[in-house]
Amino acid sequence: MAGKQNVTYMLRCSDGTLYTGWTNNIEKRLQAHNAGKGGKYTRVRTPVELVYLEEYETRQEAMSREVQIKQLTRKEKEKLIADAGEKT
């Protein structure tokens, strides 16, 4: 991930809901979420699983994409996740 450390990501929470965020250190952020020290939303929904991520050169790009994803319907978010799974 050299050069691209800004990440927009989606987590699937233990209750099946999706959480979207951005970070510049995905490993540390995922650990924080699962330790109950991440976002307020995920604190009571652990464990969480990383199901989607996009890498960006700048923090601003990652933050903008987070806002875009948050505006999608659940069905659209699930499609993003499914389409990304097909590429791997």
Side-chain angles (χ1 to χ4, degrees), residues 1-86:
M1 210 156 54
K4 290 187 178 182
Q5 304 211 358
N6 298 287
V7 176
T8 303
Y9 63 93
M10 272 194 280
L11 305 174
R12 188 172 312 278
C13 300
S14 62
D15 64 358
T17 59
L18 296 171
Y19 173 87
T20 304
W22 83 273
T23 184
N24 58 12
N25 186 330
I26 191 63
E27 293 85 6
K28 184 177 176 184
R29 188 70 174 138
L30 191 54
Q31 287 176 349
H33 279 296
N34 275 315
K37 297 177 181 169
K40 186 176 178 182
Y41 183 83
T42 61
R43 253 177 237 154
V44 295
R45 293 172 171 85
T46 57
V48 298
E49 173 191 8
L50 180 65
V51 292
Y52 183 79
L53 72 92
E54 296 176 0
E55 297 174 278
Y56 293 96
E57 294 287 343
T58 69
R59 173 181 143 167
Q60 188 58 45
E61 289 172 307
M63 292 171 75
S64 294
R65 182 61 173 147
E66 175 191 11
V67 171
Q68 290 173 349
I69 291 174
K70 284 183 173 182
Q71 293 173 345
L72 298 176
T73 64
R74 177 165 180 110
K75 187 174 183 178
E76 291 168 328
K77 291 176 188 177
E78 292 287 2
K79 182 168 176 14
L80 265 183
I81 294 165
D83 289 350
E86 291 173 7

